[in-house]
Amino acid sequence: NAGVTQTPKFRVLKTGQSMTLLCAQDMNHEYMYWYRQDPGMGLRLIHYSVGEGTTAKGEVPDGYNVSRLKKQNFLLGLESAAPSQTSVYFCASNEQGVARYGYTFGSGTRLTVV
Amino acid sequence: GENVEQHPSTLSVQEGDSAVIKCTYSDSASNYFPWYKQELGKRPQLIIDIRSNVGEKKDQRIAVTLNKTAKHFSLHITETQPEDSAVYFCAAYFTGGGNKLTFGTGTQLKVEL
């Protein structure tokens, strides 16, 4: 049982390049989330999913796209990376209700856009 | 909109002293308030949480209090130790849909010897 696994752990991109961050969970959780963490700004929600095949926008969705084709995977895409997207990205999952269980976080992806 | 404010942004205490971090939230319908601890370079880890039907919860040296009328909740750490040094985040579950948490901006706690 690996929990929530994020790939890659580190990446450096050039402005304008694209990439996909992968989040995989083996706990059969329905809900999955992508947050970004920046100094002094806490964790801000980018996109989330309430089940396979669903996605929804969070607080800071611009410049990102997501897909949840399989229940265990939640992909975050950057089509044209910008320096403002330099951040640490955390994926999280939840079984069926935050009010009961809270989040399980992945270990994070540190992305630098130059 | 959904908002959680957290204070202070940095907190320095002497080993053995107590530390208090406070958060306020905007939605009176919020009913779940977790606290996360994040050590340098690591993922946030849930350390304690409280639901709206409870005013206080304790777990060894940490406790959380909730004042629903004033819409604020606080984390209390007693007898602080160097290993308590970390960033602490409060969060609130807003009932408007999406089953998601909104986080505060974090408090960097430093416990000095």
Side-chain angles (χ1 to χ4, degrees), chain B residues 91-103:
Chain B
Y93 171 58
F94 292 91
T95 57
N99 190 46
K100 55 190 185 294
L101 292 172
T102 298
F103 288 84

Side-chain angles (χ1 to χ4, degrees), chain A residues 29-50:
Chain A
H29 284 178
E30 288 291 338
Y31 301 86
M32 298 186 75
Y33 314 83
W34 277 107
Y35 284 84
R36 61 177 288 173
Q37 183 177 21
D38 303 290
M41 304 189 77
L43 291 151
R44 294 181 293 166
L45 183 64
I46 305 171
H47 286 280
Y48 62 101
S49 170
V50 300

Side-chain angles (χ1 to χ4, degrees), chain B residues 18-81:
Chain B
S18 296
V20 181
I21 303 169
K22 299 180 179 180
C23 290
T24 60
Y25 58 97
S26 59
D27 183 359
S28 59
S30 298
N31 59 12
Y32 175 67
F33 308 91
W35 285 89
Y36 288 83
K37 175 183 180 181
Q38 186 180 31
E39 297 176 346
L40 187 63
K42 301 290 183 63
R43 74 191 77 189
Q45 298 273 13
L46 178 68
I47 55 172
I48 195 168
D49 56 17
I50 191 167
R51 288 164 176 77
S52 58
N53 59 343
V54 176
E56 183 177 8
K57 182 177 179 180
K58 291 183 179 180
D59 183 3
Q60 299 183 334
R61 296 187 297 106
I62 61 173
V64 57
T65 58
L66 172 65
N67 183 326
K68 289 188 293 182
T69 302
K71 292 189 287 185
H72 68 70
F73 57 111
S74 300
L75 178 71
H76 303 255
I77 306 174
T78 59
E79 301 175 13
T80 53
Q81 301 169 3

Side-chain angles (χ1 to χ4, degrees), chain A residues 13-19 78-83 85 111 113-114:
Chain A
L13 281 181
K14 293 183 179 180
T15 298
Q17 287 185 321
S18 63
M19 78 165 294
L78 286 74
E79 290 185 347
S80 180
Q85 294 177 304
L111 175 66
V113 182
V114 297

